[in-house]
Amino acid sequence: MNLFQIVILLIILLGLQRTFIKYRRRVFNWQWTLIWTAFWLLLATLVIYPELTNIVAHRIGVGRGVDVAIYFGILILFFLVFKIFTRLNEIDKKLSKLVKNLAIEKARKK
Amino acid sequence: MQTYIVIPAYNVERWLDQVIKDLLRLGYNNIIVVNDASTDATAEIIARHPVIKVEHLINLGQGAALATGTRLALESGADIIVHFDGDGQHCPEDIALFEEKIATGFDTVFGSRFQHPEQQIPWTKKYFILKPAIFVNWFFSGINLTDAHNGFRALNRTAAEKINISQDRMAHATEIPAEVVRQKLSYTEVPVKIIYHHYGQNFRSGLRIIWDLIKEKILS
């Protein structure tokens, strides 16, 4: 176990703790809690046994496990950015509608 | 026919007073000024004149201001709605041309500076911005106008009711012609003179407009 792995494991521990708190505060329902816990545990497993990524890599024909992890990471990031982008656009539209309606209502009253 | 002038106003303290005075002098008494959250003295100037004042609490953009103003004009019973800039770039004397065309039955009338014989346009603006803009306009809307980005236009009631201005910022100038085509409205162009106190939209704003149009295509 090197320093890097230990630091990541500590962060994962923090993540698990946060997840548990969210469950307690009812921010997460049990389904989400399960999903997040599974995610953290999977991450922990990969950190403790990095060779596992190599097995996956060989299966799908990519050279190294690290590369697979990076590719997946990038794909997830793309997906998340797209979601953020769409949400921002929706918020923009809602804000615009609100401001316009407020303006017209105020003008009507005069 | 009742003509309503809709002026989208954002930080136009330098010119708005004169613009409103000129319009009133020519007999246009139905003026709606939409203050798009200006940070200068625009609001004070609007307050001094007998115009219909509308205020956006947050700055949304020229398209949004026009949308709000147009909607209010319709509610007020307008038959002709003229979009007129608040920065002194448009000549109020040209409004009569628009009214004339609407009276002969056109749904929409677009102003074109290229049709005007005396028009002086800064050279860089003409070739690097306006001409490419005409292409962009055609690409996104399928319409062939001689002036891509003119905010000077008139709509009759039918057009104003059917056209949905969803582009909040400057892309309305492409969106409105696109809507005209989509809603199968009749349109024509009239020559107008544009007075350049300031450069107006630059190349970067042009890119922003293209981006807004593409975003709308992807996300809708």
Side-chain angles (χ1 to χ4, degrees):
Chain A
M1 270 270 210
N2 57 32
L3 184 62
F4 183 68
Q5 284 172 298
I6 294 174
V7 170
I8 301 286
L9 279 174
L10 282 173
I11 294 175
I12 290 174
L13 220 59
L14 201 67
L16 272 166
Q17 189 226 20
R18 285 280 162 86
T19 306
F20 183 61
I21 290 178
K22 289 214 158 127
Y23 173 65
R24 262 238 306 247
R25 290 196 190 148
R26 318 246 175 141
V27 177
F28 281 170
N29 57 17
W30 71 264
Q31 289 98 329
W32 270 118
T33 313
L34 203 61
I35 291 172
W36 274 106
T37 311
F39 168 73
W40 293 123
L41 290 177
L42 173 67
L43 218 58
T45 314
L46 289 175
V47 168
I48 300 172
Y49 300 109
E51 322 84 61
L52 286 177
T53 58
N54 284 323
I55 298 172
V56 177
H58 289 148
R59 269 299 178 82
I60 56 178
V62 173
R64 307 180 307 166
V66 179
D67 292 343
V68 174
I70 292 177
Y71 296 153
F72 263 118
I74 291 178
L75 273 172
I76 292 172
L77 277 172
F78 270 145
F79 177 67
L80 285 172
V81 168
F82 180 69
K83 284 215 98 182
I84 292 175
F85 189 65
T86 330
R87 269 292 279 161
L88 266 172
N89 212 51
E90 276 172 41
I91 292 175
D92 247 337
K93 286 208 145 91
K94 286 183 181 174
L95 194 67
S96 170
K97 191 170 172 190
L98 190 67
V99 174
K100 285 179 192 170
N101 279 332
L102 257 165
I104 292 199
E105 272 190 39
K106 198 167 164 209
R108 274 189 205 142
K109 285 195 187 139
K110 287 188 192 165
Chain B
M1 293 187 112
Q2 284 239 59
T3 300
Y4 272 74
I5 316 281
V6 173
I7 303 177
Y10 178 63
N11 289 347
V12 285
E13 66 181 0
R14 274 167 69 186
W15 311 282
L16 189 64
D17 196 52
Q18 193 58 49
V19 167
I20 297 178
K21 282 193 175 126
D22 289 338
L23 287 166
L24 290 168
R25 184 176 41 86
L26 286 174
Y28 295 108
N29 293 315
N30 298 316
I31 302 173
I32 298 176
V33 185
V34 185
N35 180 8
D36 196 15
S38 301
T39 53
D40 65 1
T42 297
E44 284 85 11
I45 295 171
I46 297 175
R48 284 191 234 143
H49 297 282
V51 298
I52 302 172
K53 309 157 190 34
V54 191
E55 262 165 20
H56 280 168
L57 285 175
I58 300 173
N59 175 256
L60 295 177
Q62 199 181 65
L66 286 172
T68 304
T70 304
R71 194 169 135 198
L72 199 61
L74 278 172
E75 284 185 10
S76 309
D79 299 298
I80 304 174
I81 299 171
V82 178
H83 291 170
F84 195 82
D85 276 0
D87 59 2
Q89 280 200 342
H90 296 160
C91 288
E93 289 81 13
D94 288 338
I95 297 177
L97 285 168
F98 288 84
E99 288 175 305
E100 208 184 289
K101 291 289 181 184
I102 300 265
T104 60
F106 285 103
D107 293 318
T108 334
V109 186
F110 295 106
S112 172
R113 78 201 92 182
F114 292 114
Q115 284 193 354
H116 201 283
E118 286 166 29
Q119 182 65 67
Q120 299 265 34
I121 302 171
W123 179 84
T124 49
K125 183 135 189 169
K126 183 169 181 183
Y127 289 103
F128 288 107
I129 296 170
L130 290 172
K131 293 287 181 179
I134 291 174
F135 171 74
V136 168
N137 233 30
W138 169 79
F139 183 78
F140 281 97
S141 66
I143 207 174
N144 252 325
L145 293 174
T146 58
D147 192 340
H149 228 258
N150 206 315
F152 204 168
R153 61 178 81 90
L155 311 167
N156 66 5
R157 247 199 115 75
T158 315
E161 280 168 354
K162 288 193 173 171
I163 289 175
N164 177 31
I165 306 174
S166 71
Q167 286 286 351
D168 278 356
R169 284 181 292 246
M170 298 304 287
H172 62 86
T174 301
E175 190 189 26
I176 292 177
E179 282 283 282
V180 164
V181 169
R182 200 172 68 92
Q183 303 284 3
K184 301 194 185 5
L185 298 161
S186 61
Y187 65 93
T188 185
E189 286 186 291
V190 294
V192 294
K193 187 153 191 217
I194 303 287
I195 302 165
Y196 285 99
H197 302 292
H198 58 124
Y199 199 73
Q201 297 303 300
N202 56 23
F203 195 70
R204 195 156 161 258
S205 347
L207 293 177
R208 181 73 196 262
I209 290 168
I210 296 178
W211 172 243
D212 281 345
L213 291 165
I214 292 173
K215 239 190 351 185
E216 189 62 30
K217 285 263 169 184
I218 300 176
L219 296 168
S220 302

